[in-house]
């Protein structure tokens, strides 16, 4: 019997926890603690603990599949690659679109970005960051010059006040939740803002139960109180910020007086005043947020407002401060860094910048050039184009994404994907999206590959191969290279290892330029930016200046706007969506984990007891939840932890998919959908 431990990084959330995979006779059979990681110190959440359970699931994809007469048949790699290459060659560049993935490595994402721009020569590449943190990238880049989490996970423990808004941290990023509790044990005040009294809220010193979608009103109201009391950090504003007068003019309007903010948000006036005082006078306040802030038509405004209040109080560039956007998936930060977006190459080098375009064109050496230097379509826009402009987009190549569960208004998404002439999906399981494909390609999971991923705190960490992939499954980057070779671009994809890809990427990516596999193999790894081989990495951004041309942060006056769809007489409730501790996103991995599936086998809708009583609905009863876009049957969970007039549904469960109900309304800048606020009604299911 051969027995070994292989150290790796968790494939679920963006925290970046490390653990050992337990390998027996060449197969992963369990996990074990890896004590040396500074992020999680040997501890993991339930998803990490059971992350081995899906790896050798019996329904892993093991061979290429080609759809013939409406049914999938097994094919050889040669047959599949030949068909794909022949079909791909028939489309013009702007008829092709690519979805990369936050589930796969930096190397895989870089390969897909290079393929999109160099082989397809298309502008249209995106991934699921569009659905979770596109507004963070756009918002923080606009005010700070960098669209990433400003501080490290470890220094959250040094905060004197932790302000959590739009993040159920204890369930969605549990090991970051530990840092909140460390700060609290050291005397910090914890303020929690959410429509639900989640496990995170139950540990807070002050819980502000507000209506989803009123974030800007609430934050402007806090800034109103801070300025009215003279608690702003005048020295920081003077030395390090522009735009204070613009901000002050907006937030000091009567709209943001405590009484008016209380009416809009539902938060008592005294609680608003307490929160403002704790926030401004702590000496070190950290903001933590996640998709509750970003998934709105005002997502960019919400993010900028978080930046505004931190600049106003001088809570940036030091331990225990910052705007800490907690990224959802394991490598959503890395996929963005790798340029799997329609407007940038790696490290946010703009595709419309002629110098950046020439840099990549010259380095890659495609004989017929690369995609033109114009911005492309975001995934949410791709779906609208497919339904509203038939024939403009015809071909799509999807790697490790499942838009048939993750995207808003699933009826609309299905219509969009079915209108494609040719769809290729590359994944580890057959899912709700790949069943619509013409060709399905079997890929490898995190335990079967070497590579890197970048966590929410910009820490670049290693994956290490623990077992061989099942059947004929291949590495994601290898599949991309094989297709490129079949299309005549073998020379541009001649890599022999993930390390070779990383070396090429780092040579073109200033923030990763000082990194290599040797440096990243240490337990602490490296935070970007790391521009040289001697540089120690950068755990905290904006220590002395921001990334703006003049080094100053940009304060912005932002007016409050309601969400696109508000409750009315026909649809009287506000629906918000999110995750639970046991499952992850579209459930393709966690729902194949026996222990996780047993804990939470299906979805539910949370209803306040007063609302349930008025509707005659009992706890545990199956009911209908209905929006203007669709309806689902789902179990009622009557609980006083949710605000009256608001309902909550987790989005992991295909049999009661929350995104059947959500609205395809987009932030005008980030094009992120408003998954956190739409109008619904619920009805009893009538007995026959």
């Amino acid at each position: 019997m051969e027995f070994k431990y292989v150290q790796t990084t968790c494939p679920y959330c963006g925290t970046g926890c490390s653990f050992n995979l337990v390998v027996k006779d060449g197969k992963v059979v369990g996990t074990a603690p890896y004590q040396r990681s500074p992020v999680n110190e040997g501890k993991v959440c339930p998803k990490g603990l059971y992350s081995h359970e899906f790896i050798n699931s019996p329904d892993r994809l093991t061979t290429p599949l080609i759809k013939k007469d409406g049914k999938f048949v097994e094919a050889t790699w040669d047959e599949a690659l030949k068909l794909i290459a022949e079909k791909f060659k028939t489309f013009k560049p702007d008829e092709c679109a690519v979805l990369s993935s936050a589930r796969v490595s930096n190397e895989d994402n870089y390969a897909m970005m290079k393929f999109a721009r160099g082989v397809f020569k298309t502008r249209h590449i995106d991934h699921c960051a569009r659905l979770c943190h596109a507004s963070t990238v756009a918002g923080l880049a606009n005010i700070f010059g960098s669209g990433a989490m400003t501080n490290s996970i470890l220094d959250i423990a040094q905060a004197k006040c932790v302000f959590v808004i739009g993040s159920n941290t204890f369930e969605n990023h549990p090991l970051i939740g530990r840092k909140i509790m460390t700060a609290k044990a050291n005397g910090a005040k914890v303020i929690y803002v959410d429509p639900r009294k989640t496990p995170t809220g139950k540990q807070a010193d002050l819980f502000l139960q507000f209506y989803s979608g009123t974030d800007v009103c609430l934050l402007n109201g806090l800034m109103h109180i801070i300025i009215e009391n003279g608690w702003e950090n005048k020295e920081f504003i003077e030395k390090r910020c522009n735009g204070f007068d613009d901000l002050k003019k907006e937030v000091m309007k009567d709209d943001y007086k405590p009484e008016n903010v209380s009416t809009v948000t539902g938060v008592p006036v005294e609680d608003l005043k307490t929160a403002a005082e704790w926030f401004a006078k702590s000496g070190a306040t950290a903001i933590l947020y996640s998709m509750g802030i970003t998934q709105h038509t005002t997502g960019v405004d919400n993010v900028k407002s978080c930046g505004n209040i931190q600049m106003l109080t001088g809570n940036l560039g030091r331990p225990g401060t910052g705007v800490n956007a907690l990224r959802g998936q394991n490598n959503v930060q890395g996929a963005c860094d790798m340029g799997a977006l329609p407007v940038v190459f790696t490290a946010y080098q703009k595709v419309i910048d002629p110098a950046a375009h020439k840099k990549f064109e010259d380095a890659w050496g495609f004989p017929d050039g690369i995609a033109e230097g114009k911005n492309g379509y975001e995934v949410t826009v791709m779906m609208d184009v497919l339904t509203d402009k038939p024939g403009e987009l015809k071909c799509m190549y999807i790697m490790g994404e499942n838009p048939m569960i993750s995207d808003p208004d699933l009826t609309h998404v299905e219509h969009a994907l079915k209108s494609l002439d040719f769809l290729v999906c590359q994944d580890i399981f057959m899912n709700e999206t790949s069943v619509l494909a013409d060709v399905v390609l079997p890929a490898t999971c995190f335990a079967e590959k070497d590579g890197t991923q970048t966590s929410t705190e910009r820490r670049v960490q290693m994956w290490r191969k623990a077992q061989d992939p099942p059947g004929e499954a291949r590495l994601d980057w290898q599949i991309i290279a094989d297709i490129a070779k079949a299309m005549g671009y073998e020379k541009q994809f001649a890599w022999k290892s993930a390390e070779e890809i990383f070396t090429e990427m780092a040579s073109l990516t200033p923030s990763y330029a000082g990194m290599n596999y040797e440096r990243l193999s240490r337990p602490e790894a490296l935070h970007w930016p790391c521009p040289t081989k001697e540089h120690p990495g950068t755990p905290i951004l904006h220590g002395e200046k921001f990334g703006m041309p003049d080094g100053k942060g940009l304060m912005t006056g932002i007016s409050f706007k309601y969400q696109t769809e508000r409750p009315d007489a026909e649809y009287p409730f506000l629906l918000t969506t999110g995750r639970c501790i046991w499952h992850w996103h579209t459930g393709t991995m966690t729902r194949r984990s026996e222990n996780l599936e047993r804990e939470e086998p299906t979805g539910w809708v949370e209803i306040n007891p007063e609302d349930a009583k008025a509707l005659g609905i009992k706890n545990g009863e199956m009911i209908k939840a209905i929006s203007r876009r669709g309806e689902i049957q789902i179990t009622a969970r009557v609980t006083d932890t949710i605000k009256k007039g608001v309902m909550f549904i987790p989005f992991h469960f295909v049999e009661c998919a929350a995104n059947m109900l959500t609205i395809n309304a987009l932030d005008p800048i980030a094009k992120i959908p408003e998954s956190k606020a739409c109008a619904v009604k619920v009805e009893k299911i009538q007995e026959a």
Side-chain angles (χ1 to χ4, degrees):
M1 181 179 76
E2 185 196 13
F3 188 84
K4 64 179 179 179
Y5 284 168
V6 178
Q7 189 236 323
T8 193
T9 310
C10 186
Y12 286 116
C13 86
T15 304
C17 297
S18 295
F19 51 73
N20 287 311
L21 289 170
V22 182
V23 185
K24 177 184 174 185
D25 294 332
K27 290 288 183 186
V28 174
V29 295
T31 64
Y34 175 77
Q35 307 287 359
R36 294 179 64 197
S37 166
V39 178
N40 60 306
E41 302 167 305
K43 299 169 181 66
V44 290
C45 80
K47 290 186 285 289
L49 182 64
Y50 297 118
S51 61
H52 62 287
E53 290 190 338
F54 73 86
I55 295 170
N56 292 304
S57 180
D59 62 341
R60 281 287 300 274
L61 289 168
T62 59
T63 187
L65 302 171
I66 294 174
K67 192 174 280 179
K68 295 179 179 178
D69 299 321
K71 293 185 178 180
F72 285 113
V73 296
E74 293 187 357
T76 65
W77 272 106
D78 286 345
E79 186 182 359
L81 293 169
K82 183 173 183 287
L83 172 64
I84 290 168
E86 287 174 354
K87 292 290 288 186
F88 278 177
K89 286 178 180 177
T90 66
F91 300 105
K92 298 173 185 174
D94 263 6
E95 294 174 341
C96 302
V98 166
L99 296 187
S100 206
S101 176
R103 315 293 319 135
V104 303
S105 69
N106 287 322
E107 293 78 3
D108 298 329
N109 277 293
Y110 176 79
M112 186 59 112
M113 187 272 290
K114 185 176 181 178
F115 181 93
R117 300 196 186 283
V119 178
F120 270 161
K121 308 199 191 304
T122 184
R123 304 173 290 129
H124 309 315
I125 174 171
D126 205 3
H127 73 286
C128 67
R130 187 68 44 204
L131 309 172
C132 60
H133 273 282
S135 25
T136 290
V137 177
L140 294 186
N142 181 267
I143 60 173
F144 294 159
S146 169
M149 179 169 166
T150 65
N151 284 53
S152 75
I153 292 168
L154 300 186
D155 79 64
I156 293 168
Q158 298 182 51
K160 302 302 180 191
C161 176
V162 183
F163 185 88
V164 185
I165 181 169
S167 166
N168 179 9
T169 316
F170 284 29
E171 289 199 72
N172 298 332
H173 300 88
L175 274 297
I176 296 178
R178 283 179 58 82
K179 302 304 176 192
I180 297 175
M181 293 307 290
T182 303
K184 181 172 178 171
N186 292 334
K189 298 288 191 184
V190 178
I191 304 169
Y192 185 66
V193 188
D194 202 278
R196 304 165 66 219
K197 192 167 188 177
T198 65
T200 316
K202 290 172 184 175
Q203 296 298 325
D205 298 290
L206 180 63
F207 173 44
L208 309 182
Q209 191 168 31
F210 80 142
Y211 291 112
S212 181
T214 61
D215 309 81
V216 168
C217 184
L218 181 103
L219 291 164
N220 280 359
L222 297 181
M223 287 187 273
H224 181 105
I225 296 167
I226 289 167
I227 293 172
E228 194 170 56
N229 285 280
W231 296 332
E232 72 271 22
N233 189 324
K234 298 174 181 64
E235 183 183 358
F236 187 91
I237 295 165
E238 176 65 30
K239 286 184 176 179
R240 299 203 50 193
C241 304
N242 294 318
F244 173 67
D245 290 342
D246 180 46
L247 172 71
K248 183 177 179 180
K249 182 180 177 183
E250 177 64 36
V251 303
M252 296 314 290
K253 289 178 178 175
D254 287 350
D255 300 20
Y256 307 115
K257 285 184 174 180
E259 296 75 17
N260 295 329
V261 171
S262 179
T263 300
V264 172
T265 64
V267 177
V269 168
E270 287 309 309
D271 288 349
L272 292 169
K273 291 179 177 179
T274 300
E277 183 167 6
W278 288 2
F279 192 113
K281 296 170 78 171
S282 76
T285 296
I287 284 185
L288 277 62
Y289 75 76
S290 194
M291 296 191 296
I293 281 286
T294 59
Q295 287 184 326
H296 293 275
T297 49
T298 56
V300 171
D301 285 351
N302 294 346
V303 169
K304 286 183 177 179
S305 295
C306 290
N308 278 340
I309 195 167
Q310 288 297 64
M311 285 186 280
L312 183 71
T313 53
N315 281 302
L316 287 155
R318 296 178 286 117
T321 67
V323 178
N324 299 293
L326 307 183
R327 309 306 288 263
Q329 300 203 57
N330 60 309
N331 201 30
V332 72
Q333 182 65 58
C336 293
D337 296 345
M338 294 302 104
L341 297 167
V343 297
V344 291
F345 297 106
T346 62
Y348 313 96
Q349 300 169 85
K350 294 179 180 178
V351 298
I352 60 172
D353 176 8
H357 189 273
K358 185 176 189 304
K359 170 182 171 178
F360 281 87
E361 186 171 41
D362 290 351
W364 287 343
F366 285 93
D368 46 359
I370 65 174
E372 60 183 332
K374 293 181 180 177
N375 294 336
Y377 288 146
E378 300 84 358
V379 59
T380 44
V381 175
M382 290 176 196
M383 299 302 171
D384 289 344
V385 169
L386 283 166
T387 55
D388 301 344
K389 300 178 182 178
E392 183 175 335
L393 287 175
K394 298 179 180 180
C395 167
M396 191 174 282
Y397 180 11
I398 300 177
M399 171 175 66
E401 296 270 287
N402 188 11
M404 276 300 299
I405 296 293
S406 61
D407 289 29
D409 188 358
L410 293 179
T411 304
H412 171 70
V413 177
E414 184 177 17
H415 178 197
L417 293 177
K418 284 183 173 178
S419 71
L420 287 162
D421 290 355
F422 191 62
L423 172 61
V424 175
C425 288
Q426 178 172 314
D427 221 308
I428 59 174
F429 294 110
M430 186 67 78
N431 62 36
E432 293 75 18
T433 301
S434 52
V435 296
L436 303 177
D438 297 285
V439 183
V440 177
L441 302 174
T444 45
C445 77
F446 81 111
E448 297 151 359
K449 62 174 76 176
D450 294 318
T452 60
Q453 67 176 41
T454 306
S455 75
T456 186
E457 59 173 347
R458 297 169 284 104
R459 193 190 294 262
V460 184
Q461 298 166 283
M462 300 292 296
W463 281 345
R464 294 171 179 84
K465 182 179 176 180
Q467 69 169 42
D468 289 330
E472 296 177 44
R474 293 184 180 180
L475 298 166
D476 284 284
W477 66 260
Q478 186 65 61
I479 298 171
I480 294 163
D482 289 341
I483 297 172
K485 178 182 177 181
M487 295 179 71
Y489 297 100
E490 181 176 10
K491 183 181 175 184
Q492 286 73 29
F493 293 81
W495 309 302
K496 297 290 189 287
S497 67
E499 187 171 8
E500 285 188 14
I501 302 174
F502 190 92
T503 300
E504 177 184 317
M505 177 277 297
S507 73
L508 295 166
T509 308
S511 54
Y512 284 66
M515 298 184 189
N516 56 41
Y517 273 24
E518 182 183 359
R519 296 192 74 194
L520 295 176
S521 66
R522 301 177 308 199
E524 65 275 15
L526 288 164
H527 296 81
W528 69 253
C530 179
T532 67
K533 294 290 191 291
E534 297 73 38
H535 196 282
T538 314
I540 299 177
L541 296 176
H542 317 310
E544 294 180 6
K545 61 180 183 177
F546 292 96
M548 306 292 276
D550 65 356
K552 290 190 172 186
L554 179 62
M555 300 171 112
T556 315
I558 295 168
S559 57
F560 167 62
K561 306 178 194 75
Y562 279 102
Q563 68 268 21
T564 298
E565 187 178 73
R566 296 175 66 188
D568 56 23
E570 188 178 2
Y571 296 91
F573 298 100
L574 185 65
L575 174 69
T576 190
T577 66
R579 301 185 289 246
C580 70
I581 192 169
W582 306 106
H583 285 294
W584 199 247
H585 289 253
T586 68
T588 48
M589 299 191 307
T590 52
R591 298 197 75 186
R592 287 174 170 86
S593 169
E594 180 185 348
N595 282 288
L596 298 175
E597 182 73 353
R598 184 173 61 245
E599 291 289 347
E600 204 69 85
T602 193
W604 67 91
V605 55
E606 290 181 10
I607 304 175
N608 180 277
E610 290 184 49
D611 294 327
K613 184 178 180 181
L615 294 162
I617 289 171
K618 295 183 174 66
N619 186 50
E621 181 180 352
M622 282 292 285
I623 61 170
K624 284 183 185 177
I626 306 164
S627 77
R628 289 180 172 86
R629 290 151 295 282
E631 68 176 63
I632 57 175
Q633 292 193 9
I634 191 167
T635 304
R637 188 173 286 183
V638 179
T639 171
D640 60 5
T641 60
I642 190 144
K643 194 169 181 66
K644 186 175 183 292
V646 181
M647 295 186 179
F648 169 85
I649 299 176
F651 51 57
H652 316 292
F653 303 97
V654 62
E655 67 273 19
C656 47
N659 280 324
M660 286 297 296
L661 309 177
T662 52
I663 187 169
N664 183 38
L666 307 179
D667 181 284
I669 297 168
K671 300 296 191 288
I672 194 169
E674 189 144 63
S675 301
K676 288 292 181 279
C678 71
V680 296
K681 60 184 175 182
V682 296
E683 295 177 355
K684 291 177 72 70
I685 297 173
Q686 299 303 317
E687 298 294 336

